[in-house]
Structure formats: structure tokens, C-alpha cells
Amino acid sequence: MAGRALFTIETIRATKRGLYALQSLEITFLDGDVILTGRVVGIGSRISARTDMRLHEDIHVNRVLSVEVI
């Protein structure tokens, strides 16, 4: 996936900031050629998300396919 991002880092950051205590932010993203889904654990200039298997760091916003509040 190259080109424009579906989301901006500011939009994802604002969404995470606006969550209630029991909510979390889940993203679907590309890791190489694999599509993964994980819960966002941190956002700086890049995103960190935890999947069932491991922590994924330095996820560029261009790799994010969807964002969901759960």
C-alpha cells in the first residue's frame, strides 16, 4: 500500500485521547504483506500496537487500514 494514508496520525491520536476508561482503540494494519489487527498501546510520530502474538512498533500511518473503538 503506497500513497495517501486513510487516516492522519492526528486523527488516530485524538480518537485514542477521547476514549472512556474501559474502551480501547484497535487498528488493522499491514506488516509487510500480512494484515494484522491489534490494540493501540502508544502513539508518537508512529504507532505501537499489541497483537495476540507480539508488540509491533513504528507502524507508519500509511500502513493503517482501519481504526475501531472497542
Side-chain angles (χ1 to χ4, degrees), residues 20-38:
Y20 290 109
L22 296 178
Q23 292 179 317
S24 62
L25 193 61
E26 188 171 90
I27 61 170
T28 301
F29 60 97
L30 288 173
D31 185 22
D33 292 334
V34 179
I35 297 175
L36 299 171
T37 299

Side-chain angles (χ1 to χ4, degrees), residues 16 18-25 39 68-70:
K16 181 159 176 49
L19 295 177
Y20 290 109
L22 296 178
Q23 292 179 317
S24 62
L25 193 61
R39 292 193 178 181
E68 183 178 358
V69 174
I70 54 172

